[in-house]
Amino acid sequence: MIKTFPGGVQPACLKNETIDKLIKNAPVPREVIIPLLQHTGAPCEPMVSAGSRVRTGQVIARSDKFISSPIHASISGTVKKIDRYPHPVIGSFNAVFIEGDGADTKETSIKKTDNVNLLSEDEIRDIVRECGIVGLGGAAFPTHVKLALPEGKAIDSFILNGSECEPYLTCDHRLMLENPAGIIEGMAMMLRLTGASRAYIAIESNKIGAAFALEKILRDKRYNTLNAKIVILKTKYPQGAERSLIKSILNREVPPRGLPLDVGCVVSNVGTAFAVYEAVFNGKPLYERVVTVTGSCVAEPSNLRVRIGTPVKDLVDALGGLKKDVYKIIFGGPMMGLAQLSLDTPVIKGTSGILFLSKEDVAEYAETNCIRCGRCVDVCPLNMVPADIMRFVKKEQYERAIEYNVEDCIECGCCSYECPSKIPLFQWIKLGKTEVLNLRSAK
Amino acid sequence: MNKDLTVSSSPHMLNKLTVPGVMWGVAISLVPVVISSVIFFNILAIRLMLTCVLSCVISEAAIQKLRGKKIAIKDGSAVVTGLLLAMVLPPALPVWTAVIGSIVAIGLGKQLFGGLGYNIFNPALLGRAFLMAAFPTLLTKWTSPFTLDAVTQATPLGLMKFSQIKTPYMDLFLGNTAGSLGETAALAILIGGGYLFIKRYAGWRIPLSFIVTASILGGALHAVNPSVFPNAAFHLLSGGLLLGAIFMATDPVTSPVTKKGRWIFGIGCGILVIVIRSWSGLPEGVMYSILLMNGITPLVNRYTKPRRFGAKR
Ligand code: SF4
Ligand code: SF4
């Protein structure tokens, strides 16, 4: 039976351009610019300075805070400078500029493992941390933190998220088709670290091929003990959001401001599981990731394995340039992604897709009065009333906005998507969230 | 390469359905009812619909111009108001009366509150309520189908209430009875309604709960005393119940935004209709029941805030 959650929207999927494209390595860039903040948590301090020689995979920045993740050089060469540079999420941030030597010499300090069973749980967690693994679905939460359950917390279910519900994106889908064994190995390790007794692999109904690929691996007797099950979910956005996934599969609701842990689960993306596998088995740090580069302006839409810190313009060149005028460049998917100011913006660990959209792709509409149709209420996966919250925020009635749970918003954008009056509801709600946060910290 | 990149908030993709899309969609859903009304009332139907639509559109444009607002008649909402108003008036209503009704519907019913989206009452029903109060005799002068003269003829509800005469179901279903222009033909209304719901121009919760509530309550009264109270099928097929439940009560602006609210709205309308039909001096109650529920919609919205996701049940 196909499972799902109440609410959500069904935008056109637009994945056809890249759905059959094998993952290719993007050319190793001549220069990379690696921001010192690429994850949720504390920013890193640089360990190198202008003139330092670095190898691919060498740690170039870290932080001693627990919720943080080290950052690695993605090419070998010389550090030119550390300076402010455009950042895809926070506008601009300090970044390490590395000029490549063309050799791509690899750092080999992290050992390969022949038998993971000989590693203790703490050893695995350390490798995951040292390799800079973060959630690759977008939020980039440090994975070693997620795999270290707080004292007194236990979970029963692990959810591997292969739903990839954003239109256009196919990087997770391709990874499941091309590396199912690695994904399952990575998941097995994450299960071991979290102590979950069951695993659910969540896949949307439009990726049955991926489900078969993973199922084939799971049939191996070695994996019987994982107690893993593939769950087919309705193709609906935001099916892959943590709260929606848990609601769909386990019918549990993560409490407001709570974490999946609070309802006994941990959720992780398939790309992250594969990165964990590569880190533990191959000693490979997270210095590259798979990115779907697509949109009607790209000559050759592709799934590329891209070095972290590669500026967007290099990818454009690698894909044969642009075939029409770009109106918007989006990092991420069209529903939650962020529009970029510049072609210099570098790929970071959380970049799942880069969309080059023309004016026709992003149909824009004039905003009209709210007609109280309730469509925004019907689609909000968090049971909010976006039309009313929007009115409270416009009138600066933040207390009322709090009463209407403005802080619960998971920023999926379904309300704006569905509104026939084309009111940027999510933008208002986001503003309301920020104002409420300011109010709370002023108290 | 284009250097002028546009930066704006997500989502970067929007559903194609717009407000004009919804309004014109409702207008298209009314086509079966328009056709059946022309079949039964011929030139009278055409005259009444043209009068209402034109005077609604003109008053909307005039008021918007007077108030220095953008003229938005292309959004189709005035056309829908005009069509709906025509559907709830007697076919032979004099042109001038229909014009007054239209001006009241748009002026008092909609623009006085601030235009589309701000009105509390369904404009078409408000227009009719005004005419009913001002010109009660004109508003109860019915025409038999296929005759073009305005002979005084009672509606099936009136016949039932005051003379205990039953109209055959087949006539009720097809619309071969006296009544307001668009309310008589159940079949045409259902076809239009099907399109309305399939295309999601209107939600199904209100009509469903409205119709089911009215049937249950009507049926129960009939079971208690069949000689006084008509049965559920008669309630559904006669008068404006179907038209009201499907096209009037579903007006987005004047019905609740929450799901629970929409159930309550429909149930409330269903109860009120049967109560008015059974115990008031009036044969029909659809208009008043919807207007009453319109009036408490802000309150319903406030008390039916959806359960917070993740909060204890
Ligand atoms: S209010 Fe927030 S959570 Fe609800 S639909 Fe809008 S963006 Fe999504
Ligand atoms: S979807 Fe838009 S028009 Fe409809 S109630 Fe919400 S804000 Fe208003």
Side-chain angles (χ1 to χ4, degrees), chain A residues 253 326-328 334-335 337 343 362 369-372 375 378 383 403-405 408 417-418 420-422 426, chain B residues 1-2 6 8 10-13 15 17-19 116-117 200 252-253 262 301 305-310:
Chain A
E253 292 185 1
V326 181
Y327 184 66
K328 263 190 188 181
M335 295 299 290
L343 277 164
V362 275
N369 287 350
C370 169
I371 57 165
R372 310 286 299 156
R375 283 181 172 79
D378 292 349
N383 301 351
E403 248 173 74
Y404 274 68
N405 311 325
D408 289 0
Y417 174 87
E418 197 72 5
S421 301
K422 306 303 160 197
F426 162 59
Chain B
M1 187 172 286
N2 191 338
T6 304
S8 60
S10 60
H12 308 284
M13 226 177 138
N15 194 338
L17 188 64
T18 58
V19 170
L116 181 64
R200 295 179 55 226
V253 179
R262 284 176 235 155
N301 275 331
K305 211 173 72 178
R307 181 186 59 84
R308 187 179 195 183
F309 186 94

Side-chain angles (χ1 to χ4, degrees), chain A residues 7-212:
Chain A
V9 296
Q10 290 178 283
C13 101
L14 304 168
K15 296 178 193 259
N16 281 345
E17 291 291 326
T18 55
I19 206 154
D20 297 320
K21 299 276 179 70
L22 283 171
I23 299 170
K24 286 187 308 191
N25 288 327
V28 177
R30 252 166 308 166
E31 187 194 38
V32 289
I33 308 96
I34 305 181
L36 291 175
L37 180 60
Q38 300 194 28
H39 45 260
T40 308
C44 293
E45 293 301 325
M47 319 271 299
V48 291
S49 51
S52 308
R53 303 264 319 150
V54 293
R55 283 186 299 270
T56 309
Q58 175 183 338
V59 175
I60 53 170
R62 60 165 74 245
S63 156
D64 43 19
K65 301 268 166 27
F66 180 57
I67 303 186
S68 184
S69 183
I71 290 166
H72 303 76
S74 56
I75 56 176
S76 64
T78 315
V79 173
K80 269 197 334 199
K81 58 176 177 176
I82 295 169
D83 204 354
R84 279 194 99 75
Y85 194 73
H87 185 288
V89 181
I90 48 178
S92 79
F93 203 74
N94 271 347
V96 177
F97 292 62
I98 303 174
E99 195 171 56
D101 57 13
D104 199 23
T105 323
K106 301 281 193 318
E107 169 74 27
T108 49
S109 62
I110 299 177
K111 292 282 167 298
K112 296 186 183 179
T113 317
D114 294 326
N115 190 348
V116 280
N117 295 328
L118 298 179
L119 294 171
S120 75
E121 269 122 54
D122 284 337
E123 279 168 330
I124 297 179
R125 218 172 272 122
D126 281 345
I127 297 174
V128 170
R129 181 191 167 117
E130 268 317 290
C131 287
I133 313 296
V134 300
L136 296 183
F141 189 77
T143 302
H144 66 273
V145 182
K146 202 180 241 179
L147 296 180
L149 301 195
E151 207 63 51
K153 288 263 181 195
I155 64 158
D156 54 19
S157 307
F158 180 91
I159 298 177
L160 187 68
N161 183 6
S163 47
E164 198 164 55
C165 57
E166 278 265 14
Y168 284 107
L169 304 188
T170 55
C171 54
D172 287 352
H173 187 187
R174 289 311 312 177
L175 208 58
M176 290 188 279
L177 289 173
E178 296 178 33
N179 296 297
I183 292 172
I184 298 293
E185 277 298 341
M187 180 184 84
M189 258 173 303
M190 292 165 105
L191 275 168
R192 187 176 148 200
L193 263 55
T194 53
S197 53
R198 279 173 302 179
Y200 299 93
I201 303 176
I203 294 177
E204 279 191 348
S205 54
N206 62 355
K207 301 175 195 66
I208 291 298
F212 280 122

Side-chain angles (χ1 to χ4, degrees), chain A residues 369-376 387 390 419-421 423 425, chain B residues 257:
Chain A
N369 287 350
C370 169
I371 57 165
R372 310 286 299 156
C373 67
R375 283 181 172 79
C376 53
M390 176 258 307
C419 176
S421 301
I423 300 168
L425 291 159
Chain B
V257 292

